Amino acid sequence: HRGIAQAAELLLKPVSEAIKKAFAVRGGRYKDYHVVVTGHSLGAGTSSLLGIMLADQKSFPVTVYAFASPPVLSSTMKDCHTYNQFPHCHPSHVNDQLCKIHNFVMNDDIIPRASRHEMLNMMNLLKVVDSLSWNAGKRTHMVLMGVISEEDAQEVTDSWIPLSPNSADGAIPLYAPGTVYIMKPIVKNVDGDDSDGDKNVLGFSAKANRSPSEVKYDLHRLKDPMHLYTGHFFTGDSMLNDHRTTSYFDALRKVVPDDFESAPDNDSDH
């Protein structure tokens, strides 16, 4: 995370000067243009921070499209702390909002949830799972099938105590920047109805019984970015595969709705 911040800081001056120079040429021909910054993974985190810093110069509007961005802010974009530092990122600035960040997360991608604080949370959660009186057959079935019953999921959550933001280990919670959009595969239930891929609050993903070319993706916008992190658990076959650029490219071509700005709100990513 330190490297992402350093990369954005190093890029700020040369990129800002190049953009201002471009705006100045041909008698202000480009004065009504705005700047688009984009990236995937580490590039998405760098793009988000760079976009915020560029907008803070109040010289031109910036739109960021971040794909699989690591959490790079120490407070959510909703919190007053971030807006006090960068007021022109606030959605209430309808006429002068200089930075809009659209942050796309593919299903169980682990990178947007990968801060030290969340990794410690995950380790604590795994310790809880390891302490439960589940036999080897049951554990193997969960891993291979990627599903867990609501009863078993509740047993885990009842035994798990998430780390507080001010925990003694000093791990600072980090959050994804901007408006977060979740893309999830739409699979068929046994009765033929469409549903998204997650089956319960712990985020175990059900496998679609169709070829990848037939899978569509549900797209919704998180009302609260905190729900990207709360109690999420990953299956090993999807948390890394979902991070690949090809996974994002494929999902973005098949999302429903295909206009992300019309995506419905949702209380959680599960």
Side-chain angles (χ1 to χ4, degrees), residues 170-206:
I172 300 173
L174 295 176
Y175 305 102
T179 303
V180 178
Y181 303 86
I182 302 293
M183 299 181 291
K184 287 190 171 294
I186 300 172
V187 300
K188 290 287 186 180
N189 290 328
V190 292
D191 58 5
D193 294 334
D194 286 335
S195 67
D196 67 29
D198 272 359
K199 292 299 182 184
N200 55 69
V201 296
L202 290 183
F204 278 86
S205 297

Side-chain angles (χ1 to χ4, degrees), residues 65-262:
Y65 296 97
F67 304 94
S69 173
V72 293
L73 296 178
S74 57
S75 63
T76 69
M77 293 295 279
K78 286 187 175 183
D79 292 339
C80 61
H81 173 71
T82 298
Y83 286 140
N84 286 341
Q85 289 184 290
F86 307 103
H88 289 275
C89 295
H90 201 295
S92 66
H93 287 229
V94 177
N95 297 322
D96 61 349
Q97 185 184 359
L98 294 181
C99 183
K100 297 180 180 179
I101 301 177
H102 303 289
N103 192 338
F104 296 86
V105 176
M106 171 63 179
N107 198 30
D108 287 335
D109 185 352
I110 192 173
I111 298 303
R113 304 169 172 97
S115 66
R116 181 168 178 263
H117 186 272
E118 285 307 305
M119 291 301 100
L120 290 174
N121 257 334
M122 182 182 287
M123 291 299 296
N124 287 344
L125 186 57
L126 289 173
K127 290 177 182 178
V128 168
V129 173
D130 193 47
S131 68
L132 297 176
S133 57
W134 296 346
N135 60 40
K138 183 174 185 176
R139 294 172 185 271
T140 302
H141 180 267
M142 288 181 182
V143 172
L144 293 179
M145 299 304 295
V147 293
I148 183 175
S149 70
E150 293 292 341
E151 181 180 338
D152 290 334
Q154 192 60 52
E155 185 178 2
V156 175
T157 54
D158 288 345
S159 305
W160 176 52
I161 302 177
L163 290 177
S164 68
N166 300 313
S167 56
D169 55 44
I172 300 173
L174 295 176
Y175 305 102
T179 303
V180 178
Y181 303 86
I182 302 293
M183 299 181 291
K184 287 190 171 294
I186 300 172
V187 300
K188 290 287 186 180
N189 290 328
V190 292
D191 58 5
D193 294 334
D194 286 335
S195 67
D196 67 29
D198 272 359
K199 292 299 182 184
N200 55 69
V201 296
L202 290 183
F204 278 86
S205 297
K207 307 234 182 355
N209 295 319
R210 293 184 287 177
S211 67
S213 62
E214 296 176 322
V215 176
K216 298 293 184 181
Y217 291 84
D218 171 64
L219 177 71
H220 63 258
R221 179 174 46 239
L222 286 187
K223 286 183 179 179
D224 186 349
M226 280 295 295
H227 289 131
L228 186 63
Y229 313 100
T230 307
H232 203 96
F233 198 74
F234 309 95
T235 52
D237 65 331
S238 62
M239 65 181 182
L240 297 179
N241 186 62
D242 285 343
H243 184 66
R244 298 167 58 201
T245 53
T246 51
S247 297
Y248 275 81
F249 181 76
D250 184 62
L252 287 165
R253 291 171 55 235
K254 302 173 183 177
V255 292
V256 180
D258 56 7
D259 176 11
F260 72 90
E261 292 188 332
S262 65

Side-chain angles (χ1 to χ4, degrees), residues 27-40:
R29 174 181 175 181
Y30 303 116
K31 63 181 179 64
D32 294 327
Y33 281 52
H34 71 278
V35 175
V36 173
V37 188
T38 188
H40 172 265

